[in-house]
Amino acid sequence: MLLNDYDPLKKKQLTILDPSGVIVTPKLEPNISKEELLKMYKTMTLGRTADIKALQYQRQGRMLTYAPNKGQEAAQVGAMAALEQQDWLVPAFRELNAMLYKGVTLEQIYLYWYGNEWGNHFDEGVKVLPIDVIIGSQINHAAGVAYASKILKKNEVAVATIGDGGTSHGEFYEGMNFAATYDAPLVVVIQNNQYAISTPRSKATKAATLAQKAVAFGIPGIQVDGNDVLAMYVATKAAADHARSGKGPVLIEAVTYRLGPHTTSDDPTIYRSNEEVAEWELKDPLIRFKKYLIDKGYWTEEEDQKLDEENLQYVGDTFKLVEASGTSVLEDIFKYTYAEMTPQLNEQLEAYKKYIEQGGK
Ligand SMILES: Cc1ncc(C[n+]2csc(CCOP(=O)(O)OP(=O)(O)O)c2C)c(N)n1
């Protein structure tokens, strides 16, 4: 059984598709339909283009801020593709690819980074919680979702994502422990992208791996090559099956790399070398997945080029829509903090209106 074989204390990392696009663990190659493989690849390429463009829009002063995903596409899409329609994604804030795969639209994602609350309002049936910037707190939310699913016998697994740095926060431990104690159907995917802003993973914890933190909760943990979309798929499927069958949570450590800055306010050249980035560029999740699809006869370079052009067009059109209608009014800040406005918020809103009436800006 996969989760036993890859016990984190055995110091093994699951890889199926290596950086050169070769299957190195044939017995674990998943049987995914051509249609789904292409959906995964198309989501990852759209995610890549949307990510690069978001950074450019921000630099042009057209987007408020943005947390880049470049390099983390496989960790996210591989995990999401392994889920059932009814399962939940409980994201942090660097999950553009995972959100796209689960049905959040690019327009909604861009609206969020444009500062508009409607970017957190997803379509009916999309099982994704709003973006959560408070590091670690999404693990408690996900534990609650998972526990509710268990009580209500809903057969819904909650999958939360968190960064490497987030696993040093208290709420990570609280949520994991709660879910483990109550056998709640929770899967936590740590996107170990090597840095928490400028703090390298080696300075954030003395643990040899992040997957081994599972041992303390008494649950399975597995370390995966997070740039290998097939390995992410296989590990998450095993984890979701485990959680769904009533055995409790699983912790996955996806070893990946943030190729871009932490956010648009960060300059990573201050704390990491160009050589390090270049090394990880060779392990780019898109390169190996494309080669896999071409080798299987599912994809061609010509189709790839056409897809790139379509993505660029689609991303540009989407951002134009956001710019045309996405400007939010300051009143939204007061209105959307709670379901109903508190007396204090009402008072503050009135003060703000008065300020505007008097010519304030
Ligand atoms: C409770 C809390 N403390 C501090 C911050 C500021 N902050 C934003 S991102 C970040 C680092 C997160 O690193 P990691 O968990 O590794 O995720 P990554 O950003 O690499 O995806 C910090 C400290 C925050 N958002 N929430």
Side-chain angles (χ1 to χ4, degrees):
M1 199 225 164
L2 185 84
L3 296 175
N4 286 335
D5 290 349
Y6 283 82
D7 178 324
L9 295 178
K10 290 183 185 161
K11 302 210 184 325
K12 278 162 72 178
Q13 187 181 110
L14 176 67
T15 306
I16 297 174
L17 185 65
D18 81 358
S20 61
V22 171
I23 295 282
V24 287
T25 323
K27 66 177 193 310
L28 291 178
E29 184 182 353
N31 188 12
I32 308 175
S33 68
K34 175 181 172 185
E35 194 189 17
E36 188 164 14
L37 282 170
L38 290 180
K39 180 181 170 194
M40 290 160 73
Y41 183 69
K42 287 179 182 176
T43 306
M44 287 164 67
T45 51
L46 174 61
R48 175 68 61 96
T49 305
D51 198 72
I52 291 169
K53 291 303 293 179
L55 200 63
Q56 291 173 0
Y57 295 140
Q58 197 278 343
R59 295 296 188 243
Q60 292 162 3
R62 297 162 71 193
M63 186 85 111
L64 271 188
T65 190
Y66 180 68
N69 280 225
K70 190 178 171 196
Q72 298 181 218
E73 295 87 352
Q76 298 181 23
V77 170
M80 293 304 108
L83 304 183
E84 303 293 331
Q85 186 72 33
Q86 76 271 15
D87 295 338
W88 287 93
L89 166 65
V90 185
F93 51 84
R94 199 184 300 287
E95 275 81 18
L96 176 135
N97 289 270
M99 291 169 83
L100 283 176
Y101 200 87
K102 283 294 276 176
V104 179
T105 66
L106 182 62
E107 187 179 354
Q108 287 157 347
I109 296 170
Y110 271 179
L111 269 179
Y112 174 86
W113 294 108
Y114 202 70
N116 188 311
E117 274 301 321
W118 286 101
N120 273 324
H121 190 267
F122 309 143
D123 298 348
E124 197 68 34
V126 172
K127 307 291 284 285
V128 181
L129 256 56
I131 285 179
D132 187 348
V133 179
I134 318 299
I135 306 291
S137 58
Q138 75 276 20
I139 305 302
N140 276 335
H141 303 158
V145 169
Y147 188 44
S149 163
K150 181 178 169 163
I151 294 172
L152 300 171
K153 298 189 170 41
K154 279 191 149 180
N155 193 31
E156 296 170 352
V157 173
V159 177
T161 48
I162 188 165
D164 41 292
T167 67
S168 296
H169 279 235
E171 289 195 74
F172 168 75
Y173 296 92
E174 292 163 24
M176 291 303 305
N177 194 60
F178 179 92
T181 309
Y182 287 96
D183 285 331
L186 172 70
V187 174
V188 171
V189 177
I190 305 166
Q191 295 194 73
N192 174 5
N193 64 9
Q194 312 302 327
Y195 289 91
I197 316 183
S198 55
T199 304
R201 177 240 167 277
S202 59
K203 283 201 177 154
T205 174
K206 286 188 101 171
T209 70
L210 300 179
Q212 78 186 42
K213 294 193 177 200
V215 177
F217 304 119
I219 62 168
I222 179 168
Q223 193 187 58
V224 184
D225 177 347
N227 286 5
D228 171 358
V229 74
L230 301 184
M232 282 305 297
Y233 177 92
V234 166
T236 311
K237 199 151 204 71
D241 285 352
H242 179 96
R244 208 183 302 281
S245 68
K247 293 183 195 153
V250 177
L251 185 62
I252 297 174
E253 178 188 0
V255 179
T256 180
Y257 194 79
R258 160 168 62 70
L259 289 170
H262 169 74
T263 64
T264 39
S265 338
D266 175 46
D267 175 5
T269 61
I270 293 169
Y271 57 84
R272 65 185 194 187
S273 68
N274 291 339
E275 291 74 32
E276 180 183 298
V277 178
E279 239 173 71
W280 278 93
E281 270 167 354
L282 297 173
K283 300 182 201 165
D284 188 319
L286 285 175
I287 298 174
R288 68 179 89 173
F289 193 25
K290 182 170 100 174
K291 181 170 182 302
Y292 176 73
L293 295 173
I294 291 177
D295 287 351
K296 271 182 108 62
Y298 289 174
W299 196 240
T300 62
E301 285 291 356
E302 293 71 45
E303 284 171 307
D304 205 60
Q305 206 172 336
K306 193 161 160 269
L307 180 66
D308 269 350
E309 286 158 20
E310 285 167 7
N311 281 341
L312 213 51
Q313 183 70 39
Y314 175 70
V315 169
D317 291 348
T318 303
F319 192 64
K320 271 187 210 140
L321 285 179
V322 169
E323 282 189 310
S325 65
T327 309
S328 48
V329 286
L330 195 73
E331 281 187 42
D332 288 357
I333 292 171
F334 301 97
K335 282 189 195 157
Y336 296 121
T337 305
Y338 299 99
E340 282 175 35
M341 275 169 59
T342 62
Q344 289 87 348
L345 280 174
N346 267 315
E347 209 177 286
Q348 289 166 18
L349 177 57
E350 287 315 310
Y352 162 69
K353 282 183 180 161
K354 209 161 157 197
Y355 170 73
I356 294 297
E357 275 164 22
Q358 288 166 356
K361 279 188 185 162

